[in-house]
């Protein structure tokens, strides 16, 4: 048998986990052809086919599946061993991969990661935007960010940032033309900028004042898929937007948007950053967790206030 590079096995696992060469190549930052060459060399060295390839899919052969079942825990042990060696360095290194919804990345993870990278220049960070609930262990993420009710029981969770608040905003020109609603029920008479998730579901708008709760299905001519597009439409006087306050705060302060029905604003719990409790975090991950625990979240608001004056 020819000599085999250990990283070839990691490539094989990544291709199966990602469901194809293209997705694995994107994850690893290389070309599909490079991964194909690695797999061809591995199969040739082993003398057996590991992958069934079609124009639409890639799946392991029986031999590939058996090898995969033994490789996954072995590669995990190798990564853990490397992480333990890394602890002996004066400064942690390596790559942290974190999966999180876009709002959490925009307003909390990005500022945190930028400052952390200044403090730990040998650590690389990947922030992957994804609203779907995934298995972060299977997808090889060090951590994820979700609301508490979405977390698996075998995870350790830490609060990320302060509590969240939804706001309804519109441009002064739009309100001058259409007037301001007095209650959530009045919104049926306004152009509401709707948002649709990638799974096809439209976002309902929820309101709370004291013990009273109201949930409406917004109506309007425009439907978008991101909070950024909602704000873009609201700034263009296309209707009312329903977004996290963090997105709208700079525009409210500058006067380009006006908050509507603030007494009905829905308050949500803060995000949680979570990671598996059944494995020891790497030195880089532990440094990131310690940095996060002492982070000044009010700094973000102070920066926003300065840039919008």
């Amino acid at each position: 048998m020819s000599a085999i590079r250990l990283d070839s096995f990691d490539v094989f696992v990544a291709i199966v986990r990602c469901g194809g060469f293209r997705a694995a190549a994107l994850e690893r930052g290389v070309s599909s052809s490079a991964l194909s060459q690695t797999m061809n060399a591995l199969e040739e060295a082993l003398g057996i086919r590991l992958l069934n390839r079609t124009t639409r899919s890639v799946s392991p052969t029986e031999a590939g599946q058996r090898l995969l079942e033994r490789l996954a825990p072995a590669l995990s042990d190798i990564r853990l061993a490397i992480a333990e060696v890394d602890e002996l360095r004066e400064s942690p290194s390596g790559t942290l991969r974190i999966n999180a919804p876009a709002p959490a990345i925009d307003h909390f993870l990005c500022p945190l990661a930028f400052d952390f990278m200044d403090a730990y220049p040998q650590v690389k960070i990947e922030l992957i935007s994804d609203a779907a609930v995934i298995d972060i262990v299977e997808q090889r993420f060090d951590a994820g960010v979700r609301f508490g009710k979405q977390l698996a029981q075998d995870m350790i969770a830490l609060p990320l940032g302060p509590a969240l608040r939804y706001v309804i905003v519109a441009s002064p020109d739009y309100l001058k033309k259409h007037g301001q609603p007095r209650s959530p029920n009045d919104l049926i008479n306004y152009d509401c900028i709707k948002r649709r998730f990638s799974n096809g579901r439209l976002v309902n708008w929820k309101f709370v004042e004291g013990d009273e709760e109201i949930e409406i299905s917004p109506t309007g001519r425009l439907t978008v898929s991101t909070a950024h597009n909602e704000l873009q439409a609201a700034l263009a006087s296309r209707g009312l937007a329903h977004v996290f306050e963090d997105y709208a705060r700079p525009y409210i302060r500058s006067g380009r948007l006006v908050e509507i029905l603030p007494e009905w604003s829905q308050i949500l719990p803060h995000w949680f950053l979570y990671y598996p409790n059944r494995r020891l975090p790497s030195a880089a991950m532990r440094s990131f967790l310690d940095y996060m625990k002492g982070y000044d979240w009010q700094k973000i608001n102070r920066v926003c206030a300065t840039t919008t004056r």
Side-chain angles (χ1 to χ4, degrees), residues 153-175:
Q153 294 182 352
D154 60 345
M155 295 289 167
I156 297 174
L158 298 173
L160 177 72
L164 304 168
R165 178 173 176 263
Y166 270 109
V167 294
I168 306 295
V169 292
S171 72
D173 288 343
Y174 182 88
L175 295 177

Side-chain angles (χ1 to χ4, degrees), residues 127-148:
L127 303 177
I128 307 302
S129 176
D130 187 357
V133 178
I134 66 164
D135 185 335
I136 61 171
V137 176
E138 180 183 349
Q139 299 295 322
R140 289 182 56 190
F141 286 98
D142 295 282
V145 175
R146 295 295 183 273
F147 288 120

Side-chain angles (χ1 to χ4, degrees), residues 66-129:
R66 289 189 183 185
L67 181 61
L68 186 66
E69 291 170 358
R70 299 295 297 271
L71 279 178
L75 290 174
S76 179
D77 288 342
I78 291 173
R79 295 188 192 98
L80 180 58
I82 294 174
E84 290 175 351
V85 171
D86 188 49
E87 293 178 9
L88 301 178
R89 298 168 55 94
E90 293 183 1
S91 178
S93 64
T95 300
L96 294 180
R97 301 184 70 240
I98 302 176
N99 181 286
I105 291 179
D106 288 342
H107 301 112
F108 299 110
L109 278 179
C110 270
L112 174 64
F114 298 161
D115 290 344
F116 176 80
M117 292 171 71
D118 287 339
Y120 295 89
Q122 297 185 63
V123 177
K124 301 176 183 178
I125 296 182
E126 292 185 23
L127 303 177
I128 307 302
S129 176

Side-chain angles (χ1 to χ4, degrees), residues 267-281:
I267 305 296
L268 297 177
H270 42 60
W271 300 105
F272 284 92
L273 183 137
Y274 65 98
Y275 59 97
N277 66 8
R278 59 179 181 271
R279 71 181 185 190
L280 185 68

Side-chain angles (χ1 to χ4, degrees), residues 192-270:
C192 296
I193 303 160
K194 300 180 290 184
R195 193 189 320 171
R196 190 183 299 277
F197 288 133
S198 59
N199 63 7
R201 184 171 66 87
L202 283 169
V203 178
N204 283 345
W205 294 8
K206 298 180 181 180
F207 302 88
V208 178
E209 184 182 27
D211 295 331
E212 186 177 2
E213 296 185 10
I214 297 176
E215 181 172 347
I216 69 169
S217 297
T219 58
R221 297 172 57 199
L222 180 63
T223 302
V224 297
S225 62
T226 70
H228 290 293
N229 293 147
E230 274 195 72
L231 278 178
Q232 185 179 9
L235 289 166
S237 300
R238 296 300 175 181
L240 311 182
H242 173 259
V243 296
F244 281 130
E245 182 183 19
D246 301 281
Y247 282 110
R249 185 183 294 113
Y251 301 104
I252 295 174
R253 283 176 170 158
S254 67
R256 296 184 63 191
L257 291 177
V258 177
E259 183 179 355
I260 300 165
L261 305 173
E263 68 277 11
W264 284 92
S265 292
Q266 181 191 13
I267 305 296
L268 297 177
H270 42 60

